[in-house]
């Protein structure tokens, strides 16, 4: 089941540099693990923003919330979720 | 070069049924031709809306405008364009 | 899987009265059939508005879109969809 | 009498951890007590947000304000209240 | 139980003049009947707008919706409802 | 001359408790003095918000600004002012 | 008593040309009469818009509403009213 | 050349009182100097707000920016600029 | 003096085709005449929109309003005007 | 390939003055280097704002993101990106 998710990051300026490096490293590792498992199907940077547009392919709403609320950057992000489904004119339905 | 495009369709209620069928058939054919050529990379339906979220892979802004303004449904759509680029944490960069 | 859906109805003033009665009767029948099947879990009127707030319990995004886009009033409604999941403090999880 | 209430939580980053644990524990206990009494009729998590959508069944506006303003998280939440009533197409009116 | 209600009127320009006069006369009569019964507690014009701000004193949400949806101008108005309660600093609580 | 005023309070979390108690006590006394003089004609709490909706009956814009800018909570409030006048359908014009 | 008023005009495209000329001529005459009496203190065009920003000097809210709702263009305008008063740094208070 | 300018002031709560007094005194002096020179043509307080609506009469955009960015309160203000011109129905064009 | 102007075109669907062709031809001729004179300094299409972003170089607000309100498409456009001036980091000031 | 970019700067009040001077000097140098290379094609100040409107001429979305995210002021700016293309009525296409 597909969802578009937009994440805008707003890291506090006074975040401890070591803590900042740590949270970013964990975010990257976690994101790549989910990309390899196939649940984080697409991940793009928005030009000019510290933000991404992603597509998730998960088995349920509950699983999507589990993934998003476990993101190391979750406390520092504004998130928008848009449920998607197959478009009748799409020639590929694998995603 | 990647762009996310959201299109919300608002067909006038008094559109002639034959004209309506014609514009929808041409829209579908044009969309599928662009999907086959690879320029219309992704196409999803937004749940509960007469709208889609798409990703285009084009060589220039000019080409993207040519594609969008040639859509048979162009006069009946509200369009939002968001330029994308590769995300540093993405493990695949083919799209 | 749960989704909150808000529907605001805007019937055109010049809709043929017979067509209007027909679409409203079909909407009611369809809504009640889905309530009986359990997919349309809750349905409330918003005070002062020709609008409702509903909760749907469906097996997938695709099924939710099928239900919503098949509503007889679909062409005359503005719809907002919000994915829900179980709250950690909820004492009942049946809904 | 039914009201939909949406609550978005924004805990200050510098809240003392002990105070934070305390306020969250009291919020949960208070919420569950009101669920058991039947006044907090429904409670759902919004996917991707530190927020909930709830339905309250109370005897008056005054009682709803008493409940909401007594929430331990009240100083840290943005709240929206929408009065509801029975929908003429609803097949169940118990809620 | 008190509610503030704001009503913005937008009469279609092509409304038949006789129908227009009729709906306005019925609106006035209905409004004054409810003012006399005490349920329509306050009614003010907003300067520069074809709109009013009112306060209703009703026994329930259901009654408020019954009143508002029965207004002859209901199909031509945008309505906002705000639940009110007694303010702790108010020296009069009769309203 | 009547004005509707909505005031949303946002007290800084780090306000000194003694200063906070003092400002709230002075606000209450000032508000009740103006209610007794008749200039603060109505005062209601908005359900679920640290906010009020009020109606002022003053002799001029200048007097209304004098009252509002003298509120002890003025530095901590967002204020909206809406000029009102008698509604042609109102049966009472005393307010 | 001073009010800033912004008026945005939106004349229907299908307005009868004679009716259009008549309403515009009456609007101009009425506006100039009020300018001469001193109640319509300032009148400016907003660059690039069919709109004006005005300042009215009237004895009451009621008089301002009487003026605005009598404008021949009133049914075709969106109006915003902002109450003004003397600024403590102003060196002239005649307006 | 005329411009309407709205300025909303938001002084930080923790501004040093001496610095605050100084910036306000310099703002007042600077404003009155520009009023005397004729460039700051009008200055009004907005009722209920720490804000003003002004009209400037300057020889160019560059001069207007020079004036506004030199305001002692500039770092603490949100500013909106609206270009104005003579209205065809205005009976006075001196301003 | 420089102004950025954004124009969004919304041609009515029922515009007579001959009238439509005529207005578009006159718009193009008028725009090119102003480009040649140097007053319409830049003109770009916004990708995916029937809209443009332009920069005008004019001697006054009055001249800019004269230009914009004389555009053949003026009745069918939404226009936003933003006054510009030289940026202190710009290496070229000819525009 | 052309993009309009609007940048609104919001420097934290408590930024160390030396750090502030440094970031502004580096921003200016970087901006002028890109103007000389031709990628930062236009740069204007918005009157009354600590903001600019710019036009970039770059070979790709990726390059635009590289430029913008490398701006020394990037952490302190809100940025909006609008893809542009040649307008069919433009008489110059060099930009």
């Amino acid at each position: 089941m597909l969802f578009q998710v937009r994440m805008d990051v707003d890291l506090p300026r006074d975040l401890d540099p070591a803590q900042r490096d740590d949270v970013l490293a964990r975010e990257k590792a976690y994101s790549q693990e989910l990309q390899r498992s196939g649940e984080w199907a697409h991940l793009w940077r928005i030009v000019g923003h510290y933000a991404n547009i992603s597509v998730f392919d998960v088995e349920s709403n509950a699983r999507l919330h589990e993934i998003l609320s476990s993101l190391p950057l979750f406390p520092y992000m504004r998130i928008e979720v848009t449920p998607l489904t197959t478009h009748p004119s799409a020639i590929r339905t694998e995603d």
Side-chain angles (χ1 to χ4, degrees), chain A residues 26-61:
Chain A
R26 286 188 293 116
E27 178 83 9
K28 185 168 192 167
Y30 182 59
S31 160
Q32 295 190 336
E33 176 191 323
L34 289 162
Q35 289 178 69
R36 275 187 291 266
S37 78
E39 289 186 306
W40 197 321
H42 299 286
L43 169 60
W44 297 288
R45 173 65 81 212
I46 303 177
V47 171
H49 295 259
Y50 190 1
N52 72 69
I53 285 180
S54 293
V55 174
F56 285 86
D57 186 353
V58 291
E59 68 177 10
S60 68
N61 286 356

Side-chain angles (χ1 to χ4, degrees), chain A residues 6-12 15 20-21 23-25 27-28 44-53 73 76-78:
Chain A
R6 176 176 173 150
M7 311 180 200
D8 286 81
V9 184
D10 186 12
L11 280 176
L15 199 63
R20 178 189 166 105
D21 290 351
V23 75
L24 292 177
E27 178 83 9
K28 185 168 192 167
W44 297 288
R45 173 65 81 212
I46 303 177
V47 171
H49 295 259
Y50 190 1
N52 72 69
I53 285 180
L73 283 173
Y76 311 119
M77 293 200 297
R78 186 162 41 83

